[in-house]
Amino acid sequence: MISLVSYMLLITGVNWAFTISPLIALPGGEMWPPLSLAVGFIFVVRDVAQRRVGHHVLWAMLAGCIASWYMASPELALASAAAFAVGELADWAVYTFTKQPFSRRILASSLLSAPLDSAIFLAAIGHSTLPGMLAMSVSKLLGACLVACLVRRREQRERLLPVASGQ
């Protein structure tokens, strides 16, 4: 239950934070929201929540999007809700139907959801450019990759544990 509540609060919190945090100018004039790094972690928190509560995570996704409507500006909330809905549903589908270890499912689902989320969000706020989408997608994937690497190390330790204890 904690992972589900955390997931809903993270969706709402990041949407609110997008309204107050400044953008950083990239070479070439593109603007990059540094909070997009946090979105990669939120995708992974969704994976963890789904691992614990199954498909009920879809209710948390909906609740987070609805709460965001009241926490962020209407334009940003709509852009974010649309991006999260598509990105998170893609993440959910890959995570659900891929029968790989958890660390691989984190990577596979994020590889699909991060670019979808970025493209839809940037298009909805009128900043749809390839450099902007790439910067946002890569920053989201960095967060997901970091967590996937940590999870993979834990999976490897757990596989070696019975061997090391003589079982």
Side-chain angles (χ1 to χ4, degrees):
M1 186 67 163
I2 291 172
S3 60
L4 204 58
V5 172
S6 298
Y7 175 59
M8 287 186 292
L9 292 174
L10 283 169
I11 291 171
T12 306
V14 79
N15 286 331
W16 173 78
F18 266 112
T19 65
I20 63 166
S21 71
L23 299 175
I24 295 174
L26 298 175
E30 293 294 320
M31 299 303 286
W32 174 71
L35 274 169
S36 59
L37 289 167
V39 176
F41 290 113
I42 295 172
F43 288 150
V44 175
V45 171
R46 195 219 48 78
D47 292 342
V48 171
Q50 182 175 344
R51 193 173 192 195
R52 296 212 169 112
V53 300
H55 301 302
H56 293 289
V57 75
L58 295 171
W59 293 110
M61 188 186 312
L62 179 62
C65 288
I66 291 170
S68 294
W69 182 262
Y70 296 102
M71 299 294 289
S73 68
E75 299 81 19
L76 189 65
L78 184 60
S80 181
F84 257 72
V86 173
E88 292 283 4
L89 284 173
D91 189 64
W92 169 83
V94 171
Y95 181 87
T96 298
F97 299 114
T98 304
K99 302 302 177 200
Q100 297 292 318
F102 185 51
S103 60
R104 287 188 190 159
R105 286 190 282 171
I106 289 172
L107 285 176
S109 61
S110 295
L111 281 170
L112 178 61
S113 61
L116 279 173
D117 179 87
S118 299
I120 292 168
F121 180 76
L122 291 173
I125 63 169
H127 292 289
S128 183
T129 64
L130 185 58
M133 189 187 85
L134 288 174
M136 202 168 189
S137 295
V138 167
S139 58
K140 290 173 187 175
L141 288 170
L142 286 174
C145 285
L146 174 65
V147 175
C149 287
L150 294 171
V151 169
R152 182 169 169 77
R153 287 178 66 191
R154 189 185 78 213
E155 289 170 348
Q156 289 172 336
R157 276 196 311 266
E158 288 172 357
R159 273 193 302 240
L160 293 175
L161 189 60
V163 173
S165 65
Q167 294 180 352

